[in-house]
Amino acid sequence: MDLIIRRAAIQGSEGLHDIGIRGDRIDVLTPHLGERAPVELDAAGSLVTPSLVETHIHLDAVLTVGQPRHNRTGSLFEGIEIWGERIKTLTHEDVKQRATTALKWMLAHGVTHVRTHVDVCDPNLTALGALLEVREDVRDAITIQIVAFPQQGIYSFPDGEQLMIRALEMGADVVGGIPHYEWTREYGERDVRTVLRLAAEYDRPADLHCDETDDDQSRFLELVAAETVRLGLQGRVTASHTTAMHSYNNAYAYRLIRWIRKAGVHIITNPLDNSVLQGRFDNYPIRRGFTRVKELLANGINVCIGHDSIMDPWYPLGVGDPLQGCFVMVHYGQMSGRDELEMMLDLVTSRAAACFGADDYGLGAGKRADLVVFDAPTAVDAVRTMAARRWVISRGRVVAETQPARSTVRWNGRDEAVRFVL
Ligand code: 17E
Ligand code: FE2
């Protein structure tokens, strides 16, 4: 063995396990591994999971908060306006530097797979050029998928369709879209049809920003599902945000959810951004503008959580930790039932990996050794305490390490450690 993780708690298994890693693969999981390895990590009863998968982030925009100005209304639309100004001053180095910094933050939180949108509404495709290089630079630790994302619309921006095609020719991995933001309903329909046609023609997955609005009349997801079925793309298509679903009437939502299931469309919800972006045009009571995660899951649809933004025109906070999305979702989506809490981590691990199409992912012999050791004994504790990622392993190598904070209280004249676990 090259690396052994000892005394790991594993979701769904009784007792502790040793995990033996040879090269970039998990070789064996067993209660006790007799042999030694040059690197041995003692999980000491802490949770070990497959690494985290970030399915939705805008790496071209990360760390631009306040440039050239802050978002005063907090709306998605002001965010897009500000970004439309900032994109004009993008340089290759600027994008590479910010994206790389954010990727390091994510890696330290256990993320080894990242799907990033990159705005292609730029005749120079500056950000795309930079992120294609970043994708290669980080390949040994992080697998990146780049989505050609038409932020201003495919038909509401000059030569939008040509830019999408150029981006795919240059090497974008995934076809993006934004039907609800196109100038008209008809342009929005063309947006969806084009995205899925390109996905079929170029044999790439599709991931559209879809119905990210509080407008209950924004109903492009049904067309995404229909075109997915018509073109035989089941399992290869993702709809991100889908916040309008919050506001649909129940009869319509019922029908739509059955249709999404039939089409095998993955749904990505972005609790961090959408908790602050949605409902900005409401008087009290203010809608949450959150897609129907409970119902989607109950109907067998694959749902995962994306971060969306780190310190950009849409969301001024963030440290690149997918667990923050889980934490907010528990509250905002009222997913505090015991079963819900226990599966929350899956929305940034196994479910996210299914959406991403990650190869050889999981905790089993023969799978790639992409793993996280949490400073917490269970998945619920990990989300509750936003536990430090003690070690992150990518392709069998330790790529990040965190020293957890240790608290003591002075209690009756003595120092006493406080661990925040039962
Ligand atoms: N662009 C968009 O259309 N929606 C978002 N939530 C972000 C960028 C972050
Ligand atoms: Fe997004």
Side-chain angles (χ1 to χ4, degrees):
M1 299 295 161
D2 298 308
L3 171 63
I4 296 173
I5 303 172
R6 300 224 180 252
R7 301 197 291 159
I10 290 170
Q11 278 174 290
S13 283
E14 288 288 312
L16 302 181
H17 286 75
D18 290 352
I19 304 171
I21 294 162
R22 206 187 289 278
D24 68 347
R25 300 278 140 181
I26 299 173
D27 194 74
V28 62
L29 283 105
T30 176
H32 180 72
L33 194 53
E35 62 186 288
R36 310 288 306 179
V39 183
E40 299 203 3
L41 309 174
D42 185 9
S46 288
L47 178 72
V48 177
T49 70
S51 56
L52 307 189
V53 176
E54 176 53 69
T55 50
H56 191 120
I57 186 100
H58 295 256
L59 281 180
D60 51 353
V62 288
L63 314 184
T64 61
V65 65
Q67 303 170 5
R69 59 196 167 87
H70 287 278
N71 186 336
R72 301 219 177 272
T73 61
S75 74
L76 169 68
F77 306 103
E78 186 175 345
I80 296 177
E81 271 175 42
I82 295 170
W83 172 245
E85 295 165 29
R86 181 61 174 82
I87 196 173
K88 298 199 177 94
T89 64
L90 287 183
T91 67
H92 187 84
E93 275 315 308
D94 158 40
V95 176
K96 274 189 88 165
Q97 204 172 48
R98 287 184 290 98
T100 303
T101 301
L103 286 167
K104 289 176 189 164
W105 294 7
M106 287 189 259
L107 190 62
H109 288 115
V111 176
T112 59
H113 297 69
V114 175
R115 176 178 286 181
T116 176
H117 293 259
V118 53
D119 188 0
V120 297
C121 294
D122 164 16
N124 302 316
L125 295 175
T126 301
L128 176 64
L131 288 175
L132 285 166
E133 281 188 21
V134 171
R135 186 180 68 187
E136 299 315 308
D137 290 348
V138 304
R139 177 151 244 142
D140 287 346
I142 305 174
T143 306
I144 294 193
Q145 288 179 352
I146 296 176
V147 188
F149 170 54
Q151 176 70 81
Q152 308 288 340
I154 301 176
Y155 299 106
S156 313
F157 188 81
D159 299 322
E161 190 175 329
Q162 279 315 307
L163 287 164
M164 288 290 292
I165 290 168
R166 254 175 66 202
L168 293 171
E169 299 282 348
M170 282 169 68
D173 305 277
V174 182
V175 191
I178 189 161
H180 57 277
Y181 193 71
E182 300 277 2
W183 287 344
T184 69
R185 163 84 213 175
E186 290 71 22
Y187 291 8
E189 289 180 15
R190 269 181 84 193
D191 181 305
V192 172
R193 288 182 204 283
T194 297
V195 170
L196 295 187
R197 175 174 56 77
L198 290 174
E201 277 177 21
Y202 283 81
D203 191 24
R204 315 264 165 101
D207 187 338
L208 303 88
H209 281 61
C210 193
D211 303 316
E212 189 186 9
T213 159
D214 298 315
D215 176 6
D216 66 330
Q217 300 299 309
S218 184
R219 294 183 171 188
F220 292 102
L221 183 50
E222 63 181 17
L223 183 60
V224 169
E227 286 291 280
T228 297
V229 170
R230 188 177 71 81
L231 295 166
L233 296 172
Q234 289 93 330
R236 308 252 302 155
V237 176
T238 298
S240 286
H241 297 291
T242 67
T243 56
M245 203 188 299
H246 182 94
S247 298
Y248 297 154
N249 67 68
N250 286 346
Y252 179 70
Y254 172 86
R255 206 187 112 226
L256 178 66
I257 287 171
R258 291 166 71 93
W259 204 192
I260 301 167
R261 180 183 180 170
K262 186 173 161 85
V265 170
H266 307 269
I267 301 288
I268 298 177
T269 186
N270 297 287
L272 297 173
D273 276 55
N274 289 127
S275 64
V276 297
L277 294 172
Q278 303 314 126
R280 292 288 182 164
F281 303 96
D282 286 2
N283 296 312
Y284 291 102
I286 295 172
R287 287 171 290 172
R288 295 186 184 188
F290 195 41
T291 201
R292 300 193 184 199
V293 174
K294 276 179 195 264
E295 290 85 347
L296 289 164
L297 287 169
N299 282 279
I301 292 155
N302 188 40
V303 181
C304 42
I305 292 178
H307 199 305
D308 207 14
S309 291
I310 305 171
M311 301 179 77
D312 73 6
W314 297 278
Y315 185 71
L317 308 179
V319 292
D321 184 359
L323 259 59
Q324 288 193 339
C326 297
F327 190 80
V328 169
M329 187 164 136
V330 168
H331 296 82
Y332 198 56
Q334 298 188 320
M335 299 193 67
S336 52
R338 188 67 199 178
D339 293 350
E340 293 165 332
L341 282 176
E342 283 180 353
M343 54 82 69
M344 194 54 55
L345 202 57
D346 299 350
L347 276 71
V348 292
T349 54
S350 51
R351 286 181 173 278
C355 171
F356 191 93
D359 291 332
D360 301 333
Y361 179 92
L363 208 53
K367 302 290 188 192
R368 203 168 70 182
D370 295 340
L371 303 166
V372 182
V373 183
F374 286 89
D375 183 37
T378 69
V380 175
D381 290 311
V383 172
R384 180 178 61 83
T385 63
M386 224 87 76
R389 295 339 98 85
R390 188 71 190 85
W391 290 287
V392 180
I393 291 137
S394 178
R395 288 77 163 142
R397 291 182 304 118
V398 178
V399 291
E401 181 171 349
T402 297
Q403 292 295 340
R406 293 293 177 221
S407 302
T408 18
V409 289
R410 284 320 78 98
W411 201 258
N412 293 335
R414 293 212 337 256
D415 283 355
E416 194 179 306
V418 178
R419 288 294 321 272
F420 308 106
V421 286
L422 291 178

